Amino acid sequence: MNNDEQLHGTGRGGVGTDQPRDSKGALAELRAQLEAKRVAQKISKTQLAGRAGLSRTVVSQALSDAAPAPSAQTVGALARALALEVRPLLDLLATASGTAAETGGRLLGRPISDWAPLDLEVHPAVDVFSSSERGRSGRGRVAALPSYVRRPHDDVLAEVVAAAGDGTSEMAVLVGSSSTGKTRACWEAVQPLSPRGWRLWHPFDPYRAKAALTDIAHVAPHTVVWLNEAQHYLGAGEGVGELIAAALSSLLTDRKRGPVLILGTLWPEYAAVYNALPKPGIEDVHFQVRQLLAGRQVPLPDSFDDAATDITKKLADKGDRQLAHALEHVRGGRLTQFLAGAPELLRRYEVATPSARALLHAAMDARRLGAGPHLPRSFLEYAAADYLTNDEYDTLADHWLEEALAEIGAPVHGNLAPLRHIRPRSTHGISTSAEPDQPSYRLADYLEQHGHHQRRMLCPPASFWQAAHDCLTRPDNLANLAVAARRRHRTRWAYLLWHKAAEAGSSIALVQLAGMQETAGDHEAAERLARQAADAGNSWALYQLARGREAAGDYESAEALYHQARAAGNADAVQRLAELRERAGDREGAEEFARQAADAGNPGALLYLARDRQWADDHEGAELLYRQAADAGGALAFFRLAELREKNGDQEGAEALYQRAADAGDIDALLRLGRTREEAGDYNGAETLYQQAAKAEGTLALLRLAELREKNGDRKGAEQFARQAASAGDTDVLYRLARNREWTRDGEGAELLYRQAADAGDPDALLWLAGRLEKAGDHEDAQTLYRQAAEAGGSLALFRLAEQRERAGDQEGAAILYRQAAEAGGTLALLRLAREREDVGDHEGAERFARQAADAGNTEVMAWLTDLREKSGDREGAQRLYRQAGGIENPQVLASLAGLREKAGDREGAEQFARQAADAGDTSCLGWLAGVRRKAGAYDDGLWQHGLDPDGTPSAPWVPPH
């Protein structure tokens, strides 16, 4: 069984009457259909992997007769990538796997009209009793939802739903804070689809991620896929979130399965994580999710604007008691939060008894570190211990747990509770409880978000980690907490949690354990764990160990491990074997392994060897290998071969190969070929090639076309292509063309293009024009353009405008604009203001602006000011700033301050800041400190090698268990 199947289970499908009845025949037929379609489309396995959103190894195993049966998710992804019908292939897989056709012919979900909004997690609203009802028990009573007040985001949702109703598959994700009305808005939006017979599927059984991944392939047309709290799907660990995102993308783009409508909700914190681009050299763990969400996020404000408030007042006047009650108690438009009981939830948390607050803190920490949402009673009980002081713990009553749970389980206004007991659902005999045979509790969403913000810089105490290890059993909960422990340098707890996750069946945990044992120097234990992972279908651990041994120069051990990884089905290991053989001088062995890798869908090894031969001036050997890579489906091989021919002076042969690379889909080859024609003076041929590239790639080719026309004196044509690029969303072409005109001293032509770029919304062009006008003495028009640039692109224009005022002697106006730039997030302005205040002796004002810069993400201003105070001899002021900075919830600021303390010789202070950063999940500062001390000959093993205890002190040496 491969790793995908271990994680997600085998898909279920109906067995067609015309399909082979024996499992071997069915599996052979499945693979034959996939392979025949791949060959017919003339795509390599690597290209197929890219289309399907799978790894090369998974695709290779899926098509290999020597590998186990692929998972339903893999088959579905391959079928969609090859434009094959999914259902017959899943039927073959079901026959091959010997599973019953449980889902054959059944439709996921239920008609929209059969759902109740509360079943879909729409928040119950504040219950308001009339005078005749007052005094009755509210227990068991379900309050009616208040009248719905439409806001601008509802219009956006309505357009998406209408498009789905008209036959186009659509997706929208509402992004807003807790209790702002996201789920209710989605519920209201789908109502027009109800009379048209649409169904709604809410994947939650047995838990969200597994339910979604198992059955997305079975979603039928005219279905709403309901992804409330989408982080439970898109943020699922062990790469599951990426698989779900890829499956959803395939669903949206498969016309045969549409129309479908995917609706989701997200908190801004999660959206920010998924939207963020990775730093260079860091693995892009949310690529599929980011692509899925692009252009599909609908922001939802935290409060009602004046128009929505006016509508609310009218509805209240017509008799809606809930809205009237909210209007009486709320200022600032935060009506939905009040209706969802948020203020009362927060009040109950703030006045909770110590034991009840300890339970809430344990639940908050569990949720923010990735466990839950349903938390078992035993975990909460044992985790709470260290959240209590010694006196509080010693005075606990015998029945403290029951009393505390009753206190925070009592409903707010009869609907919500800070920590609610969850009654497990049961569907087809499968319990949806988080942990089997244990009462479970769920933290209120509003308090969960409150905990995310208020406790994000804290590391949970020892009792939390012990309770997690002893009481949690689900691999995903254990794995998420192990990751959180590792990020906080709680190495011992990370190992113990991974160990238990491995015992619960997680092959990913085995991979992590192998890596930790390797780091600890126990190579034998590392290899044993890696082989266990490979036996469970995950050969990555063996491959990673081999890479580590290779990096350490132990090539013999590395090669042995690569062979083991290869035997376990890891195609990447074959490429590394080729490279090792080449390095050892065994060219024949290297080529054999490279061909094996190419046969498995990875021509990269052949390319590597070819480049190696090329560098060694063995052009004949290089060309032979490039051709083999090209035959294996590598468009890049044609490109490299063309480069080689070009270098050897064979321009005609190079052009032919560039054309073949372009025919295989390599846009760079078209651009290169176009540039070659251009340099040869064949401008018509170059333009034809650039036009081809523009249709496939976009704005880079348009830039080449604009430059080509400009070079030939066709300025109107150049401007046409530049405007075409601007219409496609890239104003940079206009801007660069304007710069070219400026360099040729065509100021008038440059200004015209800058204005066109400015009209298209390019803030750089606006800034250039403003500066030009300012130099010409037209300060009034320059100011207007600076303001336009500020509206289009943020704080830099305001900063420039402030400088303009300052040069003109308007100090008061300049100060106002600097403050506006600072409010817009401009840290340059904050630094300027901090320096200005410091220069005039206003230390308090300087500190205020420095702190604002730190809160905005600029780590330098606070560090600069602190260092300045220390160098000036103001030790008291420096210490005060250190104390202030220690409370700033930004790990980068803490890291900067740790560096200052270390340079000043204050090792204790440096460690204090570094540990605070580690508590928040950023251990980079600890590593930096360890490196500095190692160079100074004062390396402290206790700081880094053995990790930290939950209280932040260095862990004592410990031996990882086997």
Side-chain angles (χ1 to χ4, degrees):
M1 183 178 290
N2 66 27
N3 188 49
D4 280 348
E5 291 168 317
Q6 273 214 329
L7 253 167
H8 313 304
T10 303
R12 298 164 290 178
V15 181
T17 56
D18 59 339
Q19 304 296 349
R21 292 186 177 274
D22 66 296
S23 60
K24 290 184 179 179
L27 187 56
E29 174 65 18
L30 168 63
R31 285 177 166 139
Q33 290 188 28
L34 292 171
E35 180 65 9
K37 191 69 171 179
R38 182 186 73 82
V39 172
Q41 292 187 8
K42 298 181 180 179
I43 61 173
S44 68
K45 293 176 183 176
T46 301
Q47 291 170 318
L48 177 57
R51 282 190 191 179
L54 302 169
S55 71
R56 291 190 300 271
T57 301
V58 169
V59 172
S60 178
Q61 288 181 332
L63 300 178
S64 170
D65 293 336
S71 70
Q73 287 72 41
T74 297
V75 170
L78 292 173
R80 289 187 288 274
L82 293 168
L84 286 167
E85 289 189 33
V86 177
R87 181 75 267 158
L89 296 176
L90 290 176
D91 290 345
L92 287 169
L93 180 63
T95 302
S97 305
T99 56
E102 296 177 13
T103 58
R106 75 177 177 92
L107 291 174
L108 293 175
R110 308 199 302 265
I112 293 174
S113 57
D114 287 357
W115 287 95
L118 299 187
D119 292 337
L120 295 172
E121 301 172 321
V122 174
H123 281 310
V126 166
D127 201 352
V128 182
F129 298 103
S130 66
S131 57
S132 61
E133 295 170 323
R134 205 172 302 280
R136 297 181 190 175
S137 171
R139 193 169 299 279
R141 172 193 173 96
V142 177
L145 294 175
S147 302
Y148 190 66
V149 179
R150 288 184 64 84
R151 293 184 276 167
H153 60 270
D154 293 297
D155 297 332
V156 179
L157 277 183
E159 292 178 5
V160 172
V161 172
D166 291 340
T168 304
S169 291
E170 296 283 351
M171 177 178 180
V173 177
L174 271 179
V175 179
S177 299
S178 173
S179 305
T180 50
K182 301 184 298 295
T183 314
R184 175 76 187 276
C186 291
W187 169 250
E188 297 294 335
V190 300
Q191 295 313 301
L193 299 178
S194 182
R196 302 174 70 171
W198 279 60
R199 302 173 70 84
L200 187 148
W201 174 50
H202 181 203
F204 66 87
D205 177 13
Y207 56 90
R208 297 180 193 233
K210 184 176 179 64
L213 198 56
T214 299
D215 276 341
I216 285 174
H218 306 306
V219 172
H222 303 102
T223 299
V224 177
V225 179
W226 190 264
L227 303 180
N228 193 45
E229 297 192 61
Q231 68 271 12
H232 295 309
Y233 305 96
L234 305 180
E238 301 185 354
V240 175
E242 286 287 271
L243 292 174
I244 291 174
L248 291 171
S249 296
S250 297
L251 174 61
L252 288 168
T253 55
D254 188 344
R255 293 184 179 180
K256 295 179 181 178
R257 302 177 64 197
V260 296
L261 173 63
I262 303 171
L263 289 180
T265 66
L266 269 180
W267 288 354
E269 299 94 305
Y270 293 112
V273 170
Y274 303 149
N275 291 330
L277 292 172
K279 296 179 181 178
I282 303 299
E283 182 184 1
D284 191 353
V285 296
H286 296 302
F287 172 78
Q288 294 284 0
V289 175
R290 188 168 59 256
Q291 296 297 313
L292 177 70
L293 293 178
R296 295 182 171 120
Q297 297 171 79
V298 181
L300 189 149
D302 284 354
S303 58
F304 279 28
D305 59 17
D306 292 341
T309 302
D310 289 341
I311 296 171
T312 305
K313 290 176 180 176
K314 291 176 182 177
L315 292 170
D317 291 341
K318 290 181 180 179
D320 191 309
R321 290 182 296 177
Q322 291 161 303
L323 293 182
H325 184 66
L327 286 168
E328 288 176 10
H329 292 82
V330 172
R331 296 291 180 270
R334 297 174 68 84
L335 294 166
T336 57
Q337 292 91 329
F338 180 85
L339 289 167
E344 181 62 15
L345 285 170
L346 190 58
R347 189 194 69 81
R348 290 273 296 278
Y349 161 68
E350 290 171 345
V351 303
T353 59
S355 55
R357 190 180 299 112
L359 293 175
L360 290 174
H361 283 163
M364 287 176 176
D365 287 347
R367 293 298 296 124
R368 70 185 175 89
L369 298 188
H374 297 173
L375 301 168
R377 175 182 173 131
S378 59
F379 164 76
L380 293 169
E381 177 183 4
Y382 297 120
D386 288 348
Y387 290 92
L388 296 164
T389 66
N390 289 338
D391 288 341
E392 289 168 346
Y393 186 80
D394 290 341
T395 56
L396 286 176
D398 290 342
H399 302 291
W400 73 271
L401 181 61
E402 291 78 5
E403 293 171 358
L405 289 172
E407 176 188 339
I408 51 180
V412 173
H413 300 298
N415 294 306
L416 300 177
L419 192 68
R420 181 186 291 278
H421 177 250
I422 298 299
R423 186 181 300 279
R425 292 177 180 267
S426 181
T427 305
H428 306 302
I430 302 173
S431 171
T432 61
S433 177
E435 304 288 347
D437 304 322
Q438 290 196 52
S440 295
Y441 295 80
R442 177 163 184 167
L443 183 68
D445 285 353
Y446 189 81
L447 291 184
E448 180 181 333
Q449 189 175 45
H450 182 75
H452 266 277
H453 177 72
Q454 294 295 324
R455 301 183 61 79
R456 66 179 181 270
M457 300 296 291
L458 302 177
C459 179
S463 62
F464 174 93
W465 302 105
Q466 188 70 58
H469 179 269
D470 294 347
C471 304
L472 300 182
T473 60
R474 268 184 37 177
D476 57 336
N477 282 336
L478 293 163
N480 288 342
L481 291 180
V483 170
R486 187 69 178 268
R487 286 175 178 167
R488 288 157 180 79
H489 199 42
R490 272 59 184 186
T491 310
R492 176 171 171 269
W493 282 114
Y495 190 94
L496 293 174
L497 289 165
W498 279 125
H499 198 275
K500 189 171 182 184
E503 291 176 344
S506 171
S507 63
I508 298 294
L510 289 168
V511 174
Q512 294 291 334
L513 289 171
M516 295 182 78
Q517 289 284 18
E518 181 77 1
T519 301
D522 191 342
H523 303 313
E524 184 179 341
E527 288 187 27
R528 185 179 66 255
L529 288 163
R531 281 192 292 273
Q532 288 179 31
D535 292 342
N538 190 328
S539 59
W540 189 243
L542 287 166
Y543 179 80
Q544 287 292 85
L545 285 183
R547 289 298 301 266
R549 302 282 172 87
E550 185 181 350
D554 185 359
Y555 299 119
E556 185 177 349
S557 294
E559 187 163 343
L561 286 164
Y562 281 133
H563 276 291
Q564 293 181 41
R566 169 182 170 240
N570 190 297
D572 293 331
V574 185
Q575 177 172 341
R576 301 303 301 175
L577 283 167
E579 294 172 11
L580 280 179
R581 289 289 84 212
E582 180 80 358
R583 183 182 296 166
D586 179 9
R587 303 185 77 178
E588 185 176 339
E591 290 181 21
E592 175 59 30
F593 281 124
R595 281 191 290 271
Q596 288 181 27
D599 291 341
N602 179 11
L606 286 167
L607 288 171
Y608 170 85
L609 293 183
R611 176 58 64 88
D612 229 32
R613 305 279 166 90
Q614 184 178 343
W615 286 341
D617 291 327
D618 179 7
H619 291 181
E620 183 178 347
E623 182 160 338
L624 178 63
L625 289 166
Y626 278 136
R627 288 201 170 279
Q628 291 179 19
D631 292 340
L636 180 59
F638 287 118
F639 189 90
R640 293 276 176 80
L641 195 54
E643 286 183 316
L644 183 61
R645 288 285 182 88
E646 197 170 22
K647 185 176 181 181
N648 292 335
D650 181 4
Q651 194 62 41
E652 184 177 349
E655 287 195 24
L657 288 163
Y658 279 133
Q659 187 62 60
R660 291 192 66 180
D663 293 341
D666 190 330
I667 305 303
D668 288 337
L670 278 172
L671 294 172
R672 181 69 168 266
L673 193 55
R675 180 54 63 88
T676 302
R677 297 276 174 88
E678 186 180 342
E679 291 171 351
D682 180 7
Y683 297 127
N684 290 334
E687 180 158 331
T688 299
L689 290 162
Y690 289 147
Q691 292 274 18
Q692 290 178 31
K695 291 178 183 178
E697 181 271 339
T699 56
L700 179 57
L702 289 169
L703 173 63
R704 295 277 178 84
L705 285 165
E707 291 175 338
L708 181 61
R709 289 290 181 93
E710 184 85 354
K711 182 190 296 184
N712 291 331
D714 181 5
R715 304 186 117 203
K716 286 186 178 179
E719 292 173 19
Q720 180 182 349
F721 284 121
R723 284 193 295 271
Q724 189 177 337
S727 299
D730 187 354
T731 58
D732 192 52
V733 179
L734 273 170
Y735 186 80
R736 290 178 66 171
L737 194 58
R739 294 292 297 272
N740 286 339
R741 299 273 172 95
E742 191 178 359
W743 289 332
T744 59
R745 298 184 179 180
D746 179 8
E748 186 177 342
E751 183 167 341
L752 177 64
L753 287 166
Y754 278 129
R755 287 194 179 278
Q756 290 179 19
D759 291 341
D762 189 323
D764 290 334
L766 285 164
L767 282 172
W768 182 92
L769 286 170
R772 186 179 178 86
L773 289 171
E774 188 177 358
K775 287 178 183 177
D778 188 352
H779 300 296
E780 186 175 346
D781 285 348
Q783 182 174 332
T784 300
L785 288 173
Y786 277 131
R787 288 200 175 278
Q788 290 178 20
E791 292 172 2
S795 62
L796 181 58
L798 285 168
F799 184 78
R800 299 294 182 218
L801 191 55
E803 288 182 319
Q804 182 199 41
R805 290 282 182 87
E806 194 169 25
R807 284 192 295 270
D810 181 5
Q811 299 299 329
E812 185 177 348
I816 292 172
L817 286 164
Y818 280 132
R819 284 183 172 82
Q820 289 178 7
E823 289 169 2
T827 53
L828 273 177
L830 288 165
L831 177 59
R832 178 67 169 265
L833 291 168
R835 283 178 171 169
E836 179 185 282
R837 292 292 88 205
E838 187 75 4
D839 289 343
V840 298
D842 180 7
H843 298 326
E844 186 177 338
E847 291 172 15
R848 184 173 65 253
F849 288 125
R851 187 179 180 88
Q852 287 178 29
D855 290 340
N858 188 309
T859 64
E860 297 176 3
V861 182
M862 179 65 85
W864 161 79
L865 189 57
T866 307
D867 196 33
L868 184 67
R869 296 281 172 84
E870 192 149 9
K871 287 178 179 177
S872 67
D874 182 7
R875 292 285 299 168
E876 183 179 344
Q879 289 300 323
R880 183 175 65 255
L881 282 170
Y882 278 124
R883 287 193 295 272
Q884 287 183 24
I888 291 176
E889 296 179 345
N890 185 328
Q892 292 178 328
V893 174
L894 296 170
S896 296
L897 294 169
L900 286 177
R901 291 286 81 213
E902 183 74 10
K903 289 175 184 176
D906 179 8
R907 296 185 63 184
E908 186 176 343
E911 288 188 17
Q912 180 182 350
F913 284 124
R915 290 175 193 168
Q916 282 180 255
D919 286 349
D922 185 345
T923 59
S924 60
C925 187
L926 282 172
W928 174 82
L929 275 181
V932 168
R933 293 179 182 179
R934 186 186 296 112
K935 288 180 181 178
Y939 182 59
D940 181 1
D941 286 348
L943 180 68
W944 184 251
Q945 183 172 342
H946 305 294
L948 300 175
D949 284 342
D951 64 1
T953 58
S955 296
W958 60 280
V959 178
H962 296 283

